[in-house]
Amino acid sequence: MKKFLILASLALISSAVKAQTYLNPQAPIEERVKDALKRMTTEEKIKILHAQSKFTSAGVPRLGIRQLNMDDGPHGVREELEWNTWSPAKWTNDYIVAFPSLTCLAATWNRDLSNAYGNAVSEEFAFRGKDIMLGPGVNIQRTPMNGRAFEYMGEDPYLAGEIVVPYIKAAQKNGIACCLKHFVLNDQEIDRFSVNVNVSERALHEIYLYPFKQAVERAHVWTIMGSYNLWEGDHCCHNDKLINGILKKDWNWDGALVSDWGGTTNTMQAIYGGLDIEMGTYTDGKLRESAFGYDDYYLAKPFRELVNDGKVPMSVLDEKAARVLRTIFRTAMNPNKVIGNQCSEAHYDVCRQIAEEGIVLLKNESSLLPLELSKYKKILVVGENATRSLTQGGGSSELKTLRDISPLEALRTQLSNINSQLSIDYAPGYASGRAMYDHEDKVDPAKQEALKQEALEKAKNADLIIYIGGLNKNHKQDCENGDRESYDLSFGQNELISALAEFDAPMIVTNFGGNPYHMPWLNKVEGLLHCWYLGSESGTALANVLTGKVNPSGKLPVTFAKNYEDYPYVKYGQEAYPGITGVETPKNSAGEMARRQVYYKEDIFVGYRGFEKNKTKPLFPFGFGLSYTTFKYSKPAITKDAEGWKLTIDVTNTGTREGKETVQLYVGQAKVAATRPIKELKNFTKLSLKPGETKTATFRITEKDLMTWDEQTHNWKYEPTKFMAYIGASSNEIKSKISF
Ligand code: GLC
């Protein structure tokens, strides 16, 4: 009897111990995944593959396996929405820090700040109880019309890769999964649900996939969001060649592919096209509100029935469920997931630093900046963005902030502290209507004229004018689900700026926005800054730069063209952007034919690659940004060793104030083939230099850095040749070059 009891209790303990493995936080994740899978029913495996609410996918309550809590967006945690609708839940504890837009982060060219950003923003996601943050985004800014460019990291794949990797590593170190988006080719908002993108294999790999590949290989991003658009006729949320072929097989990615909301369109495609978690705009995925429609999802009842009928092997279901369980154990059930915090001063400091380092000084005639306030008595601030909150609007990346310092507020506080005799007057100058909805056609011309006259009236006796305008996340003004319709600033701003510039008072223009724009008034103004979107500390950061508390060090992550027509794709017409409709193309396996076809005819010649190839002079080139100090570059030296080449160059601060300089390394063939860009960004480093101080920038170049995509072998190839290294303060301010 005794023996029996011992055996029985051993069996009990071992089963209990066995029961613990997936719950054992110390057990290796793959063991936990295997053990959990073994215990789950078919029904439970299916349930974790799709939404159970707007922003959660199910866990397995019976087994104590947590659901996945997801939330937007790349710049901070979205306000809580109701479980099953797009309406705010009206919580009062979900005010958060709005961090600067990712284009602003890219404009800092500062990998350390990217790390700080990922750490801080993921602490806010953790504190709000989230497991997956729906960001960052690294789609490529091939057109200045893209409504969501502000959420991405510019026109160059290398810069986007370098900036996105530290952000993801820092976030995932806190136990928060990034959901890198939108994979892939979601580079316009026009017909985003149904545009099929035609692009060469080489441009796809060298430009559009490149930042995603960096995030997979170097940051091991845990989830990726498929994009709404199609590639080769299939939706990217379930595209066998893209997801199973390139992402999961070639890149050996072990994460979970999440659909964009409502981006799933067919059960068999979802099953065999690599989708792991189907999220939805509505409870039936895409089309309408319906109560408890989650079982209508393509990966829900239809999939469960196929498995139960033996039409789809259990192994297919297990492979998906394993990826979702892996994500749950990496985040929701990760013993090292941080508690985080919300609206801490540490977070505001990071937010402000990124904003300060992202602001780009584009023009500073006769050193008008930084402001010498003793010279002025009456400053006039003009422009709606001086007071408008730019943390709202823009679409799914909108935020509900506790702190949102406006430029006017900060200027009034800071400038009067420095010079109490100073008066700061304000005139909106134009109106743009409600965030996200209103557009130019909604504002009243008479009202606009009155606002303009009011500003001009006040300008008569100002001795300095600071204009604060630009884009503003309204519909078609840097906002999801719509592209801009003009390269000009909206709401009569060009005419207003030109009229203000006629007055004697010197004028500084500071514009916000995720995209370049036309500047017909440029020669009439003395100072120009571009501010992207700066988040909760917007005003403070801008005032710090204008007063000189901070020396600007931002550099453009996107080319500012003088004219819209200068962008490389424009000469190819509508086909190249925004694409054409009514083209007969073969239906896909779901019997679907894309509504719109867009052809990336500029191929790899996106941004500065195209401007240089076409010998088109940009207004402000990629990588350009001024400082309040000056820098001198020495002659470079290059040596070869086992790992490749090492290039060094000394940079000296030859001015009178501390500053930061981003030294950029571009490489091209010494004899440029017609099929290659003249040069491409291959590295950069940001040096902080005191007056008179010299530091050495050291770059390593390897054969891998010099590879190109070969469409014959469908792989990267290295072709030894004579290369030229260009070291510059911007893509077209090359200080020296050296061949190797
Ligand atoms: C939106 C966006 C995506 C966002 C998701 C959830 O349609 O495309 O970026 O994360 O839906 O709001």
Side-chain angles (χ1 to χ4, degrees):
M1 180 56 182
K2 196 167 177 244
K3 196 165 176 252
F4 167 72
L5 278 178
I6 291 166
L7 280 177
S9 56
L10 273 179
L12 200 68
I13 291 163
S14 72
S15 74
V17 163
K18 272 210 326 268
Q20 289 308 310
T21 305
Y22 72 94
L23 284 176
N24 171 6
Q26 305 320 325
I29 283 189
E30 294 316 305
E31 292 305 312
R32 300 178 74 184
V33 168
K34 270 198 216 81
D35 187 54
L37 213 43
K38 224 171 33 220
R39 298 165 186 285
M40 289 161 69
T41 65
T42 302
E43 176 95 17
E44 288 165 340
K45 293 175 187 175
I46 291 278
K47 269 201 182 323
I48 67 172
L49 303 185
H50 63 80
Q52 67 172 1
S53 78
K54 275 282 167 289
F55 284 99
T56 67
S57 55
V60 188
R62 175 179 70 87
L63 293 174
I65 292 176
R66 277 273 323 284
Q67 69 192 37
L68 281 171
N69 298 329
M70 314 176 188
D71 214 342
D72 288 314
H75 309 145
V77 199
R78 191 172 185 177
E79 70 174 311
E80 207 63 26
L81 300 185
E82 287 182 347
W83 182 255
N84 204 10
T85 77
W86 290 102
S87 318
K90 297 193 175 57
W91 287 12
T92 53
N93 65 342
D94 57 352
Y95 291 91
I96 43 76
V97 174
F99 290 88
S101 64
L102 292 187
T103 318
C104 179
L105 175 60
T108 68
W109 293 61
N110 188 325
R111 298 176 177 93
D112 296 338
L113 277 183
S114 172
N115 172 65
Y117 193 138
N119 176 58
V121 73
S122 58
E123 285 180 341
E124 301 242 336
F125 274 90
F127 196 75
R128 281 275 301 280
K130 309 300 176 185
D131 306 304
I132 300 180
M133 56 179 294
L134 301 175
V138 285
N139 293 106
I140 294 292
Q141 200 160 357
R142 70 180 280 266
T143 166
M145 297 291 134
N146 180 4
R148 295 187 80 173
F150 71 98
E151 292 184 58
Y152 307 142
M153 298 184 179
E155 72 188 29
D156 181 89
Y158 176 82
L159 176 62
E162 286 304 300
I163 298 296
V164 82
V165 163
Y167 178 114
I168 294 170
K169 278 181 169 175
Q172 298 189 161
K173 191 159 141 286
N174 285 336
I176 296 290
C178 284
C179 188
L180 190 59
K181 67 189 188 181
H182 302 84
F183 191 66
V184 68
L185 298 168
N186 183 178
D187 308 308
Q188 69 185 56
E189 289 299 290
I190 291 178
D191 267 343
R192 65 174 177 160
F193 300 107
S194 57
V195 62
N196 181 54
V197 179
N198 302 275
V199 63
S200 77
E201 192 181 285
R202 191 171 70 187
L204 175 69
H205 284 273
E206 291 189 16
I207 306 289
Y208 299 96
L209 286 174
Y210 184 88
F212 288 93
K213 187 165 189 274
Q214 300 307 305
V216 165
E217 292 186 343
R218 293 165 47 203
H220 307 295
V221 66
W222 287 339
T223 69
I224 289 179
M225 186 186 297
S227 60
Y228 286 127
N229 57 281
L230 300 87
W231 172 62
E232 300 201 343
D234 285 330
H235 286 278
C236 291
C237 289
H238 37 65
N239 184 312
D240 179 45
K241 187 173 169 186
L242 177 68
I243 310 298
N244 293 328
I246 295 174
L247 178 59
K248 293 181 176 179
K249 178 169 160 292
D250 296 351
W251 297 357
N252 197 20
W253 184 63
D254 70 357
L257 197 283
V258 183
S259 78
D260 199 339
W261 269 235
T264 310
T265 59
N266 174 281
T267 288
M268 291 310 277
Q269 289 217 336
I271 293 169
Y272 289 107
L275 179 61
D276 298 307
I277 304 180
E278 177 186 359
M279 296 308 292
T281 300
Y282 295 110
T283 46
D284 71 349
K286 192 186 244 184
L287 301 175
R288 62 187 183 284
E289 285 299 354
S290 61
F292 312 117
Y294 293 105
D295 207 36
D296 297 335
Y297 274 40
Y298 296 100
L299 281 186
K301 186 163 62 182
F303 187 18
R304 182 172 64 246
E305 286 167 355
L306 287 165
V307 172
N308 287 338
D309 297 350
K311 293 197 179 111
V312 172
M314 181 58 79
S315 60
V316 171
L317 172 54
D318 284 347
E319 208 274 339
K320 294 179 191 295
R323 287 172 182 270
V324 179
L325 287 166
R326 186 172 299 131
T327 308
I328 293 170
F329 293 133
R330 283 170 165 168
T331 60
M333 295 173 74
N334 168 357
N336 304 316
K337 184 180 175 191
V338 302
I339 302 292
N341 66 73
Q342 201 171 312
C343 299
S344 61
E345 275 315 309
H347 289 178
Y348 284 117
D349 287 347
V350 168
C351 173
R352 200 193 55 259
Q353 283 166 33
I354 294 159
E356 287 165 350
E357 288 209 19
I359 290 173
V360 184
L361 178 59
L362 293 171
K363 182 176 182 183
N364 187 15
E365 216 162 73
S366 55
S367 300
L368 178 68
L369 290 167
L371 295 173
E372 285 169 49
L373 292 170
S374 54
K375 283 165 58 177
Y376 309 108
K377 292 238 171 325
K378 222 171 150 30
I379 293 181
L380 174 65
V381 175
V382 180
E384 194 191 50
N385 282 345
T387 57
R388 180 191 183 95
S389 160
L390 295 174
T391 57
Q392 289 150 29
S396 57
S397 61
E398 61 172 357
L399 296 169
K400 177 166 111 175
T401 53
L402 194 61
R403 185 187 295 181
D404 193 346
I405 311 279
S406 77
L408 182 63
E409 197 180 335
L411 283 169
R412 283 204 159 128
T413 311
Q414 287 212 24
L415 301 197
S416 39
N417 284 351
I418 299 170
N419 171 351
S420 56
Q421 308 309 315
L422 207 52
S423 91
I424 299 178
D425 202 354
Y426 174 62
Y430 66 92
S432 66
R434 295 166 306 152
M436 287 249 271
Y437 302 100
D438 289 342
H439 185 49
E440 205 144 30
D441 49 3
K442 293 273 195 331
V443 290
D444 165 5
K447 187 164 171 267
Q448 293 289 55
E449 189 50 32
L451 288 170
K452 179 175 164 185
Q453 290 312 321
E454 176 201 20
L456 297 181
E457 191 52 38
K458 291 191 171 184
K460 281 179 184 150
N461 48 20
D463 43 29
L464 175 71
I465 300 172
I466 301 177
Y467 181 83
I468 303 181
L471 299 165
N472 66 6
K473 294 191 183 177
N474 259 7
H475 184 43
K476 299 181 184 171
Q477 286 286 305
D478 283 348
C479 184
E480 185 173 334
N481 216 20
D483 281 354
R484 287 166 75 196
E485 289 175 342
S486 160
Y487 191 53
D488 278 319
L489 293 177
S490 293
F491 316 115
Q493 290 184 72
N494 280 344
E495 296 73 23
L496 172 61
I497 294 169
S498 300
L500 287 166
E502 294 307 313
F503 292 92
D504 296 343
M507 183 164 170
I508 299 158
V509 174
T510 60
N511 278 331
F512 287 80
N515 270 306
Y517 52 90
H518 186 212
M519 303 182 194
W521 32 260
L522 181 62
N523 297 330
K524 299 183 198 159
V525 302
E526 286 75 11
L528 174 65
L529 291 146
H530 190 69
C531 300
W532 318 107
Y533 293 108
L534 301 177
S536 287
E537 293 277 53
S538 185
T540 310
L542 177 57
N544 286 348
V545 167
L546 289 173
T547 58
K549 219 184 217 173
V550 166
N551 183 356
S553 61
K555 301 254 182 186
L556 294 177
V558 61
T559 303
F560 274 57
K562 188 168 171 25
N563 302 303
Y564 174 69
E565 297 66 36
D566 298 343
Y567 284 98
Y569 65 89
V570 176
K571 66 186 177 197
Y572 298 108
Q574 290 292 316
E575 282 190 350
Y577 174 82
I580 51 177
T581 54
V583 179
E584 279 305 309
T585 52
K587 292 188 170 28
N588 65 20
S589 62
E592 194 188 12
M593 187 182 79
R595 219 185 78 76
R596 177 182 293 266
Q597 297 287 339
V598 67
Y599 303 87
Y600 286 11
K601 295 210 160 179
E602 78 280 15
D603 199 68
I604 58 175
F605 298 103
V606 175
Y608 69 90
R609 289 170 168 81
F611 279 79
E612 293 184 355
K613 200 78 191 170
N614 303 335
K615 296 187 176 38
T616 309
K617 193 174 174 342
L619 185 61
F620 296 108
F622 174 84
F624 177 79
L626 298 174
S627 169
Y628 292 153
T629 186
T630 50
F631 301 98
K632 183 171 68 61
Y633 287 57
S634 74
K635 282 272 155 269
I638 195 161
T639 55
K640 179 117 175 51
D641 57 32
E643 292 102 65
W645 296 269
K646 184 168 96 167
L647 189 146
T648 56
I649 187 164
D650 288 350
V651 180
T652 306
N653 178 345
T654 48
T656 55
R657 37 178 313 142
E658 182 158 0
K660 295 183 179 178
E661 172 68 335
T662 298
V663 185
Q664 301 156 44
L665 169 68
Y666 296 83
V667 175
Q669 297 164 314
K671 200 169 156 322
V672 186
T675 58
R676 301 301 312 151
I678 288 164
K679 62 183 191 292
E680 298 175 286
L681 182 69
K682 294 294 179 187
N683 210 327
F684 60 87
T685 182
K686 190 164 193 176
L687 303 175
S688 181
L689 296 165
K690 292 185 177 48
E693 187 179 15
T694 297
K695 280 182 184 170
T696 304
T698 303
F699 299 112
R700 296 218 59 94
I701 305 170
T702 64
E703 290 182 2
K704 191 163 186 281
D705 300 327
L706 305 172
M707 289 182 164
T708 57
W709 182 265
D710 179 359
E711 297 191 340
Q712 271 58 50
T713 60
H714 307 294
N715 208 335
W716 293 95
K717 89 181 165 210
Y718 170 60
E719 274 179 317
T721 178
K722 192 172 169 197
F723 291 97
M724 189 62 79
Y726 304 82
I727 299 98
S730 89
S731 61
N732 84 339
E733 192 186 344
I734 297 303
K735 302 290 187 182
S736 57
K737 56 185 185 181
I738 184 167
S739 63
F740 64 100

